[in-house]
Amino acid sequence: MPLITMNREIGSLGKDVALGLEQALGMKIRHHEIIDHLANRARLRKSHVISFLEGRQGLLERLTTDQVKLRVLTADEILSMAESGEPVILRGWGATSLLKDVPHAVRICVSASRRTRIKRMMERLETNDMEQVERIVDQNDASAHAVMRRHFHIDTRDINEYDMGFNTDRVSVAQCVDEIVKLVKSEQFAETDESRRCLRDVAVAHHVRAAIRTHGSTAHCKVRITAENGRVSLEGVVDLIEQSEACSDIAKRIKGVKVLENHLNVAEVPAGARR
């Protein structure tokens, strides 16, 4: 199945490129669908989830929202969509970073100069207030860059993070679509048994991480999880042997986990300090 991930800047025409790909390849765009699922799983308002994903959280939201849990759940949702069996276009939410190790996932960036994007947004918003639109564009850029740095440690403008980048100052939407279609259909990005295995491994690791992070007894355990051919390894340090056992029990229940290796170390916590 084709799998496209995309980052785009406000006013870059990235949404138009995604729509063109949807029509050309018969794929489904997945973007806002993640919000309802995240809100339900994290037991948060949709507005809180949106502000988190878009990097617009205020001080109160940052203090009252479990950032790590939301990040882990976001990744879990993205990987669930990627392995659903549908040919999908995953727009935003860090998908380009999460799927960087999957050979048949095409990672795209659509951008344009600040001047061009401001002009387009003024036309779209039907306003002559350039200063207001400049603030909108700059705030959106700052938020998007902050989210990617904070959660994925990457620079969204670094072309090395993508397989192909487009500057729509000079390249039309139709040209973008044509070039991406060629890439998707190329032998280099063909879906193979090996690429499907890579996707399964990445997905299983994130599913296990989400399950451990959302279980009451293991929510605060810092566990590193790797997966290869269904063999899952847990590494890190926990406070209690019961937590180590719980992590194993939780991981074993995840679909796709064939063999579990628990390498968690138990810290020596004084009995009086345990609660």
Side-chain angles (χ1 to χ4, degrees):
M1 64 173 182
L3 185 56
I4 298 175
T5 65
M6 179 185 294
N7 272 348
R8 54 103 184 178
E9 296 174 316
I10 186 173
S12 67
L13 304 182
K15 184 176 181 180
D16 299 271
V17 172
L19 288 170
L21 289 169
E22 186 176 48
Q23 294 177 351
L25 295 169
M27 304 177 75
K28 297 291 186 181
I29 297 172
R30 293 290 179 259
H31 182 60
H32 294 295
E33 291 80 1
I34 192 175
I35 295 171
D36 286 333
H37 293 163
L38 278 178
N40 289 334
R41 294 181 68 183
R43 297 181 181 179
L44 291 171
R45 295 178 180 176
K46 289 174 62 174
S47 60
H48 284 202
V49 173
I50 294 170
S51 62
F52 167 79
L53 292 172
E54 296 183 352
R56 295 187 288 102
Q57 285 184 310
L59 178 60
L60 180 60
E61 288 177 316
R62 288 197 298 270
L63 292 174
T64 58
T65 301
D66 187 335
Q67 306 279 321
V68 175
K69 181 179 179 180
L70 262 180
R71 182 172 72 243
V72 169
L73 289 177
T74 300
D76 189 42
E77 289 289 336
I78 290 291
L79 267 300
S80 293
M81 291 181 182
E83 63 174 347
S84 66
E86 278 190 303
V88 293
I89 302 166
L90 299 170
R91 190 161 62 86
W93 309 154
T96 54
S97 177
L98 291 168
L99 293 165
K100 64 183 178 182
D101 294 324
V102 178
H104 67 276
V106 179
R107 300 179 299 152
I108 302 298
C109 177
V110 181
S111 63
S113 67
R114 178 176 180 273
R115 178 181 57 191
T116 297
R117 292 187 293 122
I118 289 171
K119 180 181 177 181
R120 288 172 180 165
M121 291 304 297
M122 289 177 67
E123 294 173 353
R124 185 180 303 175
L125 297 173
E126 298 181 347
T127 179
N128 292 319
D129 190 340
M130 181 177 288
E131 290 186 3
Q132 181 186 27
V133 174
E134 286 177 336
R135 285 194 296 272
I136 292 172
V137 170
D138 291 343
Q139 289 171 1
N140 189 278
D141 287 353
S143 297
H145 296 333
V147 166
M148 295 301 286
R149 282 197 305 270
R150 186 183 308 124
H151 301 314
F152 303 104
H153 310 293
I154 68 170
D155 180 355
T156 55
R157 298 301 294 268
D158 184 355
I159 195 61
N160 293 312
E161 297 292 339
Y162 309 101
D163 300 309
M164 186 174 285
F166 297 93
N167 176 3
T168 57
D169 279 23
R170 297 170 59 85
V171 182
S172 70
V173 168
Q175 288 173 314
C176 293
V177 171
D178 287 345
E179 292 302 318
I180 296 170
V181 168
K182 290 177 185 177
L183 202 63
V184 170
K185 293 183 176 181
S186 68
E187 184 177 346
Q188 182 179 357
F189 288 91
E191 183 182 10
T192 64
D193 289 340
E194 177 62 18
S195 72
R196 284 190 288 269
R197 183 195 67 77
C198 288
L199 175 57
R200 283 196 299 272
D201 284 342
V202 173
V204 165
H206 282 286
H207 296 335
V208 171
R209 184 174 292 110
I212 289 175
R213 190 64 182 79
T214 54
H215 194 280
S217 63
T218 57
H220 299 291
C221 295
K222 296 181 179 179
V223 183
R224 295 186 300 277
I225 300 154
T226 56
E228 185 175 359
N229 288 317
R231 181 182 295 272
V232 174
S233 176
L234 309 180
E235 298 180 347
V237 179
V238 295
D239 293 333
L240 305 171
I241 186 64
E242 291 84 0
Q243 292 174 325
S244 176
E245 293 171 348
C247 286
S248 288
D249 291 341
I250 292 167
K252 288 176 182 176
R253 293 198 292 267
I254 300 301
K255 182 180 179 181
V257 177
K258 299 176 182 177
V259 178
L260 181 70
E261 297 178 353
N262 186 333
H263 300 297
L264 292 170
N265 294 315
V266 180
E268 295 183 3
V269 181
R274 296 181 181 179
R275 297 179 179 179

